[in-house]
Amino acid sequence: MDLSADFWDNRYQSDDIGWDLGEVSPPLKAYFDQLTNLDLKILIPGGGNSYEAEYLYEKGFKNVYVIDLSKTALDNFKKRVPSFPTSNLILNNFFDLDQTFDLIIEQTFFCAINPSLRGDYAKKVSELLNVNGKVAGLLFDAVLNTTHPPFGGDKTEYLGYFKPYFNIKVMKEAHNSIKPRAGRELFFIFQKK
């Protein structure tokens, strides 16, 4: 299974990005709208075109970072949001990142990585978070693909990865998903132990 930088870059170059909503996801928008600390240092892994980063930045959050393997995705974002700090766009592998954050936003990255890396993802997120830091976002609550992304799963599986590192604050069906994902997304907030 090829999930290399070239694989993702080719997907963006050929516009084969069916996961891309073209706007901020409604459950995440609702979550962002209740955040009040504009100084939060926020990471969006595998951010791609990152409408979430754009939305946060335009709301006044200036410490938003996006990491992605695809140079094309980051270039697309920079063209769309030219005022976004170039230094906050990180072309690298998430698992090689060595910074800390207050909040990590999950939106389609977890379901795009090889499922064998899910335990490593939970551990890495914990390592990247400051004391009392949180990871929040969406996970698919459905069986999807086994040979290519997006890879699905369910609440029980996910809790197995995250419970060793996080206190589970919220994990429930998203009530405001877009129609094609309705009933198939879990909204979650986990706080670092």
Side-chain angles (χ1 to χ4, degrees):
M1 170 175 7
D2 178 18
L3 298 176
S4 66
D6 286 340
F7 170 83
W8 292 110
D9 220 37
N10 289 334
R11 296 283 299 261
Y12 281 97
Q13 288 171 5
S14 63
D15 200 29
D16 183 11
I17 51 175
W19 62 87
D20 189 304
L21 301 181
E23 64 183 339
V24 64
S25 171
L28 291 179
K29 181 181 181 296
Y31 176 67
F32 298 158
D33 286 347
Q34 52 96 28
L35 295 176
T36 57
N37 182 356
L38 296 178
D39 294 325
L40 288 173
K41 187 175 178 188
I42 302 171
L43 175 69
I44 303 176
N49 286 326
S50 206
Y51 301 96
E52 289 72 24
E54 178 181 11
Y55 186 78
L56 285 164
Y57 184 71
E58 289 177 353
K59 283 187 64 72
F61 293 88
K62 300 304 182 198
N63 295 317
V64 179
Y65 293 77
V66 177
I67 186 168
D68 205 290
L69 284 174
S70 171
K71 182 177 185 317
T72 300
L74 294 176
D75 288 347
N76 289 347
F77 177 82
K78 187 62 178 169
K79 285 177 195 163
R80 200 177 74 246
V81 191
S83 63
F84 193 90
T86 302
S87 60
N88 291 19
L89 297 174
I90 305 166
L91 179 63
N92 202 351
N93 185 319
F94 165 77
F95 293 98
D96 295 333
L97 190 58
D98 187 22
Q99 294 186 44
T100 57
F101 301 88
D102 302 307
L103 176 63
I104 296 177
I105 300 300
E106 173 53 47
Q107 165 66 346
T108 72
F109 180 61
F110 184 86
C111 68
I113 62 174
N114 188 316
S116 67
L117 296 174
R118 288 179 167 183
D120 295 336
Y121 169 95
K123 182 179 181 190
K124 183 66 177 181
V125 167
S126 174
E127 292 169 358
L128 292 174
L129 285 170
N130 293 321
V131 174
N132 295 319
K134 295 177 183 172
V135 57
L138 296 167
L139 297 168
F140 279 113
D141 188 23
V143 176
L144 300 174
N145 304 301
T146 57
T147 59
H148 61 85
F151 302 103
D154 61 46
K155 184 176 181 177
T156 302
E157 175 192 351
Y158 302 147
L159 289 175
Y161 300 126
F162 289 99
K163 272 190 167 180
Y165 309 102
F166 294 93
N167 293 315
I168 309 306
K169 298 295 185 184
V170 175
M171 190 170 209
K172 62 183 180 181
E173 182 179 318
H175 65 85
N176 49 355
S177 299
I178 62 165
K179 194 170 186 176
R181 296 182 185 175
R184 300 179 347 141
E185 286 185 313
L186 295 168
F187 175 76
F188 71 92
I189 302 171
F190 302 155
Q191 187 166 28
K192 181 176 177 173
K193 285 185 176 177

